[in-house]
Amino acid sequence: MEFVRQMRAGFPRTRIFVSASTLAGRATAAEKLAGLVDGVFYSPVDYVFAVRRVLRALQPSVVVIAETEIWPNLFREVKRTGAALAMVNGRISDRALGRYQRQRWFFSAVLEAADAILVQTGEIRERFLKIGAPAERVRVAGNFKYDFAARPAAPDSPVMSFLGRLRPAQVWIAASTMPPAAGEADEDAAVLEAFRALAPKFPGLLLLWAPRKPDHFDAAARKLAAMGVRFVRRSAGLDALELPGVLLLDSIGELGGLFGAAAAVFMGGTLANRGGHNILEAALFAKPVIVGPHMENFQAIADDFARANAMVRIREAAELATAVERLVSEPASAQEIGGRALAQAEVQRGASARALAEVRRLYSENVPRYRPAMPWYPLAWLLARIWEAGARRRQDAGLRAQRRLDIPVIGVGNLTMGGTGKTPTVLRLAEYLKAEGRAPAILTRGYGRTSPKKYLTLAPGEPVSTEEAGDEPRVFARSAVAPVGIGADRYEVAGLLRQRFRVDVCLLDDGFQHLWLARNLDIVLLDALNPFGGGDVFPLGRLREPIAGLGRASAVVITRSRYTDLAGAVETAVRRWNPRVPVFRGNMEPEAWVEARSGELHALEQAPFARAAAFCGVGNPQSFRRTLENLGVTPVEWLEFDDHHRYRPRQLRRMAAQFRAAGAEAAVTTEKDLVNLDEAHLDLLAPLTLYWLKVRMTVEPEAEFMALVERAVGLPARQR
């Protein structure tokens, strides 16, 4: 719990998911971790197909395994994605050690996949080494159990309110007791016999009994009734109870906050041979804890507490009543033992922080790569190699035939297919250069246009259809910032632009792979949410060329960096290919809502709609969705389409009906989608009002970024 809380604080922009393997575990995690994690799910069965589906769905950068969950397929598949794998709070019990050692040949191969193994004690480290863990990766970091935050239940909580009305003279807690099994001590009987022995001596006594397993709650109630003990069930409401009596805590997640109300605590699972349970929660409330002979699962903690005389140990069930009586009747002695327990627990704290530091290190060094399911992988691999060879030939041909304009050229491109924010980056550069007194123009191929014209030049603001120009060139033209030239041969297009307009610098849109035109500055954009497109070229991944192409970059901008904490890891990866390249952080900042019909601008903080549906067809639709979430907009319906999607009349009618059925009064989209809508889109979507989100690219640190641009275009020193 504390580790997850620190993870949430340490990675505020990262999605965190927690898995559980049981119904009770999932219910507890969902309740206790609400607001701290983005989801709780059941651990997948350790089959390759199941593990791969989960990893593709969540796309983790780091997978953290708690304690000793050694799953071979999970470990292997995590490493295949390039994600980091850490084991934290590691332990191997006495009972499990022999089994692991007999299969050392197997576990040594599995543990080789772990990047870090943080264990609770030096003794446990030796156990991991005995089963084949790499010695250089196994470190002692302490026990998470010591990092439990003692948070008393709120005074107005149902149980605390009940205790306030009842005012018991003495309270003792029997925590996590286990149901009886053949040949073992019956902890239920021990607790009830101890209560029956103490009740005549302490008429104001309250036993707060919390069985370990929910399926044991009803059996516990039946035993209380059979013995004629006065009791109330937490689940049945907390009405009056005559003391001495029992409160049966048949609920999940409440016990941890109630230890502060007790004079003494008996920890279950320690009389029965079940390996014991965690005593630290009670200790951190400075409460004396009674345990039986079995603490194998927490042996290191038990040994530390025993040496410090910080707990009360009994050998058999018959000693429980005496131990409880001593503690409730001698408050000074109980307080002294509880104080030693607190001190012992406090001195061992910090394991969560050490584990967080290790996860942060791994997170900063690993950028995972996720590919879609590929049953046709051999064919895809062959096609990827053909693609790679073709890209290399095109680049060689471009370099041999490269021509240079007599005015500066700044290229803005990327390595991956799909959107990384090139359009807003080009517009931002055009705005800046224009403000500095230059006359920029934009060169673009015009992806998706159907015009028969080989070349097209547009004045700033000149109307043009998407069919003539393509969607992104149309956005450039609508901005009215600079003239736009469209055509495959950007050198020829630049010449036409210079004949028609006064142009003294060209911005080459989506031109990193277009080597036929020399440029003074090559800016490469990497999307922080998916920087390297699966780690391979199309169709195995989404790369246009191998990652080694970063070596040609003059500058790298990691876009959408505000949506993740992964930007540092992306920068580390970039420097493996281009050690000295300047690296910047970029974000598309929303500026205003724009009503499509009137062009009226609305402030972001005063959205002109209450219930809106959203749709987009951009390279990274999740970035648009996250932007909406950050603006406080939760779409009542969400549709996403392929990049450059053209919206036809029939589809728009269906969308309008679907949005209205969901209760939407408006529809929101991006400017790129706006120019891909059918001309009659306003009527087709009616009566819904259509808005698009106006955004602007920001790059940090801006002064250093613009200084690169200024040097590339030769701005006079007095203007810098």
Side-chain angles (χ1 to χ4, degrees), residues 389-661:
R392 190 180 303 114
R393 284 196 299 271
R394 288 191 299 273
Q395 290 180 9
D396 291 342
L399 287 171
R400 287 194 300 269
Q402 191 175 79
R403 292 181 286 181
R404 182 176 294 276
L405 296 173
D406 58 1
I407 59 175
V409 175
I410 297 176
V412 177
N414 56 10
L415 288 180
T416 59
M417 299 174 178
T420 54
K422 295 184 298 293
T423 300
T425 301
V426 170
L427 287 174
R428 176 71 187 101
L429 290 172
E431 291 171 351
Y432 181 82
L433 291 169
K434 187 175 180 180
E436 291 294 317
R438 302 304 292 260
I442 299 172
L443 303 176
T444 181
R445 182 178 58 154
Y447 179 86
R449 73 189 189 106
T450 57
S451 171
K453 295 180 181 179
K454 189 174 182 179
Y455 304 118
L456 187 65
T457 60
L458 303 172
E462 182 177 338
V464 66
S465 69
T466 302
E467 287 72 20
E468 281 185 284
D471 51 12
E472 287 158 345
R474 190 177 173 194
V475 172
F476 290 140
R478 280 167 48 91
S479 71
V481 175
V484 181
I486 306 167
D489 188 335
R490 267 72 117 195
Y491 183 88
E492 293 295 332
V493 175
L496 295 174
L497 279 171
R498 297 185 70 188
Q499 291 175 19
R500 184 178 175 189
F501 306 102
R502 183 182 68 85
V503 172
D504 62 10
V505 58
C506 284
L507 299 171
L508 179 60
D509 171 56
D510 198 11
F512 189 58
Q513 288 76 34
H514 184 78
L515 301 182
W516 283 263
L517 181 63
R519 66 293 308 270
N520 300 70
L521 184 70
D522 243 339
I523 301 170
V524 176
L525 308 184
L526 298 175
D527 184 346
L529 298 175
N530 186 17
F532 303 121
D536 210 332
V537 299
F538 182 81
L540 271 185
R542 301 287 295 171
L543 287 175
R544 299 177 175 186
E545 62 173 300
I547 299 174
L550 283 171
R552 305 195 313 273
S554 309
V556 171
V557 178
I558 303 172
T559 63
R560 301 188 177 100
S561 56
R562 71 164 51 207
Y563 296 128
T564 177
D565 299 294
L566 200 59
V570 176
E571 181 172 347
T572 299
V574 167
R575 298 202 182 283
R576 293 175 189 149
W577 302 100
N578 196 333
R580 291 178 293 277
V581 68
V583 180
F584 302 90
R585 305 285 196 271
N587 285 292
M588 282 172 279
E589 300 289 349
E591 289 192 306
W593 297 107
V594 185
E595 187 176 346
R597 185 180 295 276
S598 65
E600 181 182 358
L601 273 63
H602 299 266
L604 295 173
E605 61 273 12
Q606 297 176 341
F609 49 80
R611 293 173 58 82
F615 65 96
C616 69
V618 295
N620 190 337
Q622 287 307 308
S623 66
F624 180 52
R625 186 162 193 167
R626 292 199 188 185
T627 299
L628 295 179
E629 291 173 355
N630 286 348
L631 293 172
V633 175
T634 302
V636 297
E637 193 74 12
W638 169 264
L639 294 177
E640 59 185 63
F641 303 91
D642 291 336
D643 197 13
H644 304 284
H645 182 73
R646 301 283 179 86
Y647 298 85
R648 304 305 180 190
R650 180 180 297 180
Q651 184 178 49
L652 288 171
R653 291 192 191 96
R654 288 200 304 267
M655 289 167 56
Q658 183 176 344
F659 293 165
R660 291 197 303 273

Side-chain angles (χ1 to χ4, degrees), residues 114-136:
D115 296 287
I117 302 174
L118 305 185
V119 300
Q120 297 177 7
T121 67
E123 181 182 0
I124 292 176
R125 180 179 187 274
E126 292 302 317
R127 293 181 179 184
F128 269 93
L129 297 183
K130 287 179 181 178
I131 68 171
E136 69 278 6

